PDB file of all heavy atoms in Angstrom:
ATOM      1  N   GLY A  35     127.765 134.315  60.349  1.00 85.00           N
ATOM      2  CA  GLY A  35     128.375 133.691  59.184  1.00 85.00           C
ATOM      3  C   GLY A  35     128.895 134.692  58.174  1.00 85.00           C
ATOM      4  O   GLY A  35     128.905 135.899  58.416  1.00 85.00           O
ATOM      5  N   PHE A  84     125.607 130.947  56.217  1.00 91.00           N
ATOM      6  CA  PHE A  84     126.639 130.101  55.633  1.00 91.00           C
ATOM      7  C   PHE A  84     128.001 130.548  56.121  1.00 91.00           C
ATOM      8  O   PHE A  84     128.294 131.742  56.168  1.00 91.00           O
ATOM      9  CB  PHE A  84     126.604 130.202  54.103  1.00 91.00           C
ATOM     10  CG  PHE A  84     125.275 129.839  53.513  1.00 91.00           C
ATOM     11  CD1 PHE A  84     124.323 130.816  53.259  1.00 91.00           C
ATOM     12  CD2 PHE A  84     124.967 128.520  53.233  1.00 91.00           C
ATOM     13  CE1 PHE A  84     123.086 130.489  52.733  1.00 91.00           C
ATOM     14  CE2 PHE A  84     123.724 128.175  52.694  1.00 91.00           C
ATOM     15  CZ  PHE A  84     122.785 129.164  52.444  1.00 91.00           C
ATOM     16  N   GLU A 190     124.490 200.011  51.893  1.00 83.00           N
ATOM     17  CA  GLU A 190     123.625 199.005  52.514  1.00 83.00           C
ATOM     18  C   GLU A 190     123.863 197.651  51.845  1.00 83.00           C
ATOM     19  O   GLU A 190     123.942 197.546  50.627  1.00 83.00           O
ATOM     20  CB  GLU A 190     122.159 199.422  52.312  1.00 83.00           C
ATOM     21  CG  GLU A 190     121.199 198.414  52.866  1.00 83.00           C
ATOM     22  CD  GLU A 190     120.095 199.088  53.673  1.00 83.00           C
ATOM     23  OE1 GLU A 190     120.105 200.327  53.765  1.00 83.00           O
ATOM     24  OE2 GLU A 190     119.247 198.349  54.195  1.00 83.00           O
ATOM     25  N   GLY A 210     147.426 206.359  44.602  1.00 90.00           N
ATOM     26  CA  GLY A 210     147.385 207.628  45.320  1.00 90.00           C
ATOM     27  C   GLY A 210     145.967 208.143  45.448  1.00 90.00           C
ATOM     28  O   GLY A 210     145.020 207.356  45.516  1.00 90.00           O
ATOM     29  N   ASP A 211     145.770 209.440  45.398  1.00 89.00           N
ATOM     30  CA  ASP A 211     144.430 209.985  45.606  1.00 89.00           C
ATOM     31  C   ASP A 211     143.719 210.302  44.285  1.00 89.00           C
ATOM     32  O   ASP A 211     142.840 211.144  44.226  1.00 89.00           O
ATOM     33  CB  ASP A 211     144.496 211.237  46.475  1.00 89.00           C
ATOM     34  CG  ASP A 211     145.337 212.323  45.820  1.00 89.00           C
ATOM     35  OD1 ASP A 211     145.954 212.042  44.751  1.00 89.00           O
ATOM     36  OD2 ASP A 211     145.380 213.446  46.364  1.00 89.00           O
ATOM     37  N   PHE A 290     107.308 172.159  34.495  1.00 89.00           N
ATOM     38  CA  PHE A 290     108.303 171.127  34.813  1.00 89.00           C
ATOM     39  C   PHE A 290     108.400 170.887  36.312  1.00 89.00           C
ATOM     40  O   PHE A 290     109.427 170.460  36.820  1.00 89.00           O
ATOM     41  CB  PHE A 290     109.664 171.524  34.244  1.00 89.00           C
ATOM     42  CG  PHE A 290     109.626 171.773  32.759  1.00 89.00           C
ATOM     43  CD1 PHE A 290     109.440 173.061  32.270  1.00 89.00           C
ATOM     44  CD2 PHE A 290     109.720 170.726  31.857  1.00 89.00           C
ATOM     45  CE1 PHE A 290     109.372 173.297  30.909  1.00 89.00           C
ATOM     46  CE2 PHE A 290     109.646 170.957  30.496  1.00 89.00           C
ATOM     47  CZ  PHE A 290     109.474 172.246  30.009  1.00 89.00           C
ATOM     48  N   ARG A 300     113.524 191.021  33.190  1.00 92.00           N
ATOM     49  CA  ARG A 300     112.863 192.010  34.036  1.00 92.00           C
ATOM     50  C   ARG A 300     112.246 193.124  33.197  1.00 92.00           C
ATOM     51  O   ARG A 300     112.571 193.281  32.020  1.00 92.00           O
ATOM     52  CB  ARG A 300     113.885 192.615  35.017  1.00 92.00           C
ATOM     53  CG  ARG A 300     114.352 191.620  36.069  1.00 92.00           C
ATOM     54  CD  ARG A 300     115.319 192.284  37.016  1.00 92.00           C
ATOM     55  NE  ARG A 300     116.705 192.017  36.607  1.00 92.00           N
ATOM     56  CZ  ARG A 300     117.753 192.612  37.165  1.00 92.00           C
ATOM     57  NH1 ARG A 300     117.564 193.539  38.089  1.00 92.00           N
ATOM     58  NH2 ARG A 300     118.970 192.316  36.780  1.00 92.00           N
ATOM     59  N   PHE A 323     129.368 167.156  28.749  1.00 97.00           N
ATOM     60  CA  PHE A 323     129.124 166.595  30.076  1.00 97.00           C
ATOM     61  C   PHE A 323     127.645 166.233  30.197  1.00 97.00           C
ATOM     62  O   PHE A 323     126.810 167.089  30.455  1.00 97.00           O
ATOM     63  CB  PHE A 323     129.527 167.605  31.166  1.00 97.00           C
ATOM     64  CG  PHE A 323     130.990 167.909  31.159  1.00 97.00           C
ATOM     65  CD1 PHE A 323     131.466 169.116  30.658  1.00 97.00           C
ATOM     66  CD2 PHE A 323     131.904 166.967  31.623  1.00 97.00           C
ATOM     67  CE1 PHE A 323     132.821 169.393  30.638  1.00 97.00           C
ATOM     68  CE2 PHE A 323     133.256 167.240  31.608  1.00 97.00           C
ATOM     69  CZ  PHE A 323     133.723 168.443  31.106  1.00 97.00           C
ATOM     70  N   VAL A 372     131.850 179.661  67.914  1.00 85.00           N
ATOM     71  CA  VAL A 372     132.971 180.492  67.532  1.00 85.00           C
ATOM     72  C   VAL A 372     132.428 181.730  66.839  1.00 85.00           C
ATOM     73  O   VAL A 372     131.658 181.635  65.894  1.00 85.00           O
ATOM     74  CB  VAL A 372     133.919 179.731  66.581  1.00 85.00           C
ATOM     75  CG1 VAL A 372     135.034 180.642  66.112  1.00 85.00           C
ATOM     76  CG2 VAL A 372     134.481 178.509  67.281  1.00 85.00           C
ATOM     77  N   ARG A 397     139.566 168.608  56.579  1.00 96.00           N
ATOM     78  CA  ARG A 397     138.913 167.910  55.471  1.00 96.00           C
ATOM     79  C   ARG A 397     138.053 166.770  55.987  1.00 96.00           C
ATOM     80  O   ARG A 397     136.891 166.621  55.622  1.00 96.00           O
ATOM     81  CB  ARG A 397     139.966 167.347  54.499  1.00 96.00           C
ATOM     82  CG  ARG A 397     140.687 168.395  53.673  1.00 96.00           C
ATOM     83  CD  ARG A 397     141.645 167.739  52.684  1.00 96.00           C
ATOM     84  NE  ARG A 397     140.947 166.952  51.694  1.00 96.00           N
ATOM     85  CZ  ARG A 397     140.821 167.291  50.412  1.00 96.00           C
ATOM     86  NH1 ARG A 397     141.384 168.389  49.950  1.00 96.00           N
ATOM     87  NH2 ARG A 397     140.150 166.530  49.575  1.00 96.00           N
ATOM     88  N   PHE A 411     131.103 171.693  64.015  1.00 93.00           N
ATOM     89  CA  PHE A 411     132.545 171.483  63.949  1.00 93.00           C
ATOM     90  C   PHE A 411     133.113 171.817  65.316  1.00 93.00           C
ATOM     91  O   PHE A 411     133.225 172.980  65.687  1.00 93.00           O
ATOM     92  CB  PHE A 411     133.161 172.375  62.869  1.00 93.00           C
ATOM     93  CG  PHE A 411     134.555 171.957  62.482  1.00 93.00           C
ATOM     94  CD1 PHE A 411     134.810 171.439  61.208  1.00 93.00           C
ATOM     95  CD2 PHE A 411     135.609 172.058  63.376  1.00 93.00           C
ATOM     96  CE1 PHE A 411     136.094 171.041  60.840  1.00 93.00           C
ATOM     97  CE2 PHE A 411     136.882 171.667  63.019  1.00 93.00           C
ATOM     98  CZ  PHE A 411     137.115 171.162  61.749  1.00 93.00           C
ATOM     99  N   GLU A 450     154.612 139.455  49.825  1.00 90.00           N
ATOM    100  CA  GLU A 450     153.749 138.835  48.826  1.00 90.00           C
ATOM    101  C   GLU A 450     152.966 137.712  49.469  1.00 90.00           C
ATOM    102  O   GLU A 450     153.473 137.002  50.329  1.00 90.00           O
ATOM    103  CB  GLU A 450     154.589 138.279  47.667  1.00 90.00           C
ATOM    104  CG  GLU A 450     155.138 139.368  46.761  1.00 90.00           C
ATOM    105  CD  GLU A 450     156.049 138.816  45.683  1.00 90.00           C
ATOM    106  OE1 GLU A 450     156.013 137.580  45.479  1.00 90.00           O
ATOM    107  OE2 GLU A 450     156.778 139.599  45.073  1.00 90.00           O
ATOM    108  N   ASP A 455     149.721 130.098  53.366  1.00 92.00           N
ATOM    109  CA  ASP A 455     148.473 129.485  53.814  1.00 92.00           C
ATOM    110  C   ASP A 455     147.716 130.493  54.689  1.00 92.00           C
ATOM    111  O   ASP A 455     148.075 130.720  55.837  1.00 92.00           O
ATOM    112  CB  ASP A 455     148.781 128.222  54.616  1.00 92.00           C
ATOM    113  CG  ASP A 455     147.508 127.607  55.173  1.00 92.00           C
ATOM    114  OD1 ASP A 455     146.413 128.030  54.742  1.00 92.00           O
ATOM    115  OD2 ASP A 455     147.626 126.713  56.033  1.00 92.00           O
ATOM    116  N   GLU A 462     138.982 135.225  65.683  1.00 85.00           N
ATOM    117  CA  GLU A 462     137.815 136.062  65.445  1.00 85.00           C
ATOM    118  C   GLU A 462     138.196 137.476  65.008  1.00 85.00           C
ATOM    119  O   GLU A 462     137.592 138.062  64.115  1.00 85.00           O
ATOM    120  CB  GLU A 462     136.965 136.109  66.719  1.00 85.00           C
ATOM    121  CG  GLU A 462     135.588 136.695  66.473  1.00 85.00           C
ATOM    122  CD  GLU A 462     134.804 136.847  67.764  1.00 85.00           C
ATOM    123  OE1 GLU A 462     135.071 136.073  68.707  1.00 85.00           O
ATOM    124  OE2 GLU A 462     133.939 137.736  67.818  1.00 85.00           O
ATOM    125  N   LEU A 463     139.212 138.037  65.666  1.00 87.00           N
ATOM    126  CA  LEU A 463     139.622 139.395  65.325  1.00 87.00           C
ATOM    127  C   LEU A 463     140.167 139.466  63.902  1.00 87.00           C
ATOM    128  O   LEU A 463     139.993 140.456  63.202  1.00 87.00           O
ATOM    129  CB  LEU A 463     140.688 139.880  66.316  1.00 87.00           C
ATOM    130  CG  LEU A 463     140.198 140.094  67.748  1.00 87.00           C
ATOM    131  CD1 LEU A 463     141.371 140.323  68.689  1.00 87.00           C
ATOM    132  CD2 LEU A 463     139.219 141.256  67.811  1.00 87.00           C
ATOM    133  N   GLY A 548     141.681 162.572  50.071  1.00 96.00           N
ATOM    134  CA  GLY A 548     142.639 163.672  50.014  1.00 96.00           C
ATOM    135  C   GLY A 548     143.317 163.930  51.341  1.00 96.00           C
ATOM    136  O   GLY A 548     143.671 165.063  51.666  1.00 96.00           O
TER     137      GLY A 548
END
Side-chain angles (χ1 to χ4, degrees):
Chain A
F84 303 93
E190 177 134 1
D211 61 354
F290 304 94
R300 291 182 264 172
F323 296 105
V372 176
R397 289 183 65 109
F411 196 112
E450 286 176 15
D455 176 12
E462 193 185 333
L463 292 170

